[in-house]
Amino acid sequence: MKHLFIQGKEKNGLTLLLLHGTGGTEQDLLPIAEMVAPEANVLSVRGNVSENGMPRFFRRLAEGVFDEEDLIFRTNELNEFVNEQANVYGFDRSNVIAIGYSNGANIAASMLFHHKDSLKGAILYHAMVPRRGISLPELKDVSVFIGAGEQDPMIPAEQTKELAELLRQAGANVEEFWQTGGHQLTRDEVVESKKWLETYLT
Ligand code: MLT
């Protein structure tokens, strides 16, 4: 997959897996990584799917309606890719935290839904429930920050709460941060997620 890797202060320390929103690239979340954990390694990936030229991490049938088969295939593909890159760049596969926005947050959530040890934690900015009706793996050692907008036109508040609840039921430690805005990522969310990361995972 098209990607970039930036080595942090300690190769064996934390690695941030950056996953952009629809139409983004592997460059988009670099300033966020710099704010949240400036010393971490960064593996930033570009989605392998193109929707009218806009990179995404999996296909969708309509806005908010996912192509489930492709979602599963792409989730496995991304997880395998991270496994391989840990060997290529020599980072610690068990110390990876995803930071995803929108479509990127959705595939990060899907990694948690499908693969037990895929992520140590995740910062999900404006994520949806990736799949329903499946049992999640045990996530008791996983911490998740969810940033959400009360007025997000794409993600009703109930859906964010459903996502948080599904992750909690699987054992994850989940923190929700709500702001009054919409789908856009806000500075407040980034600041809160940095505090969260410092408290729970370092
Ligand atoms: C998705 O398809 O993942 C969501 O609708 C969010 C987005 O448009 O990126």
Side-chain angles (χ1 to χ4, degrees):
M1 299 179 79
K2 199 163 167 37
H3 69 282
L4 58 84
F5 180 78
I6 302 169
Q7 190 172 321
K9 206 168 168 199
E10 291 165 53
K11 213 183 207 180
N12 280 331
L14 177 66
T15 297
L16 299 175
L17 171 65
L18 305 185
L19 304 165
H20 61 78
T22 298
T25 74
E26 64 281 12
Q27 303 287 333
D28 288 16
L29 297 180
L30 294 178
I32 308 291
E34 181 61 32
M35 279 176 73
V36 171
E39 296 188 349
N41 303 314
V42 170
L43 177 65
S44 189
V45 185
R46 186 183 298 195
N48 249 354
V49 165
S50 169
E51 183 184 273
N52 305 317
M54 295 186 298
R56 283 178 55 83
F57 287 96
F58 55 88
R59 289 199 197 100
R60 62 180 163 183
L61 306 173
E63 195 176 277
V65 185
F66 302 156
D67 177 335
E68 214 164 88
E69 199 180 313
D70 191 59
L71 172 66
I72 296 164
F73 177 80
R74 299 291 170 192
T75 302
N76 294 339
E77 180 184 54
L78 179 61
N79 192 47
E80 275 303 309
F81 178 75
V82 178
N83 294 345
E84 284 162 21
Q85 299 315 303
N87 291 328
V88 172
Y89 295 112
F91 63 82
D92 177 359
R93 181 65 186 87
S94 66
N95 199 2
V96 175
I97 291 178
I99 300 186
Y101 168 64
S102 193
N103 182 244
N106 294 341
I107 196 146
S110 182
M111 284 175 85
L112 293 173
F113 272 45
H114 293 102
H115 296 282
K116 184 170 172 5
D117 296 315
S118 57
L119 299 169
K120 180 181 175 189
I123 295 176
L124 307 176
Y125 300 125
H126 303 264
M128 302 169 91
V129 175
R131 267 187 89 189
R132 292 187 170 83
I134 57 164
S135 23
L136 272 60
E138 163 81 65
L139 296 175
K140 74 173 167 39
D141 296 323
V142 175
S143 295
V144 181
F145 174 96
I146 298 179
E150 284 165 10
Q151 312 295 330
D152 193 325
M154 218 183 265
I155 312 172
E158 304 76 63
Q159 187 170 160
T160 302
K161 289 178 187 149
E162 184 187 350
L163 174 63
E165 213 32 57
L166 288 168
L167 292 167
R168 283 190 188 111
Q169 279 165 12
N173 182 344
V174 182
E175 181 166 319
E176 294 167 42
F177 177 73
W178 289 86
Q179 36 88 26
T180 52
H183 196 64
Q184 197 136 343
L185 177 59
T186 67
R187 193 182 167 82
D188 282 356
E189 280 176 79
V190 178
V191 169
E192 284 304 313
S193 57
K194 177 185 173 66
K195 284 191 212 155
W196 168 86
L197 188 67
E198 283 166 359
T199 311
Y200 284 97
L201 297 163
T202 50

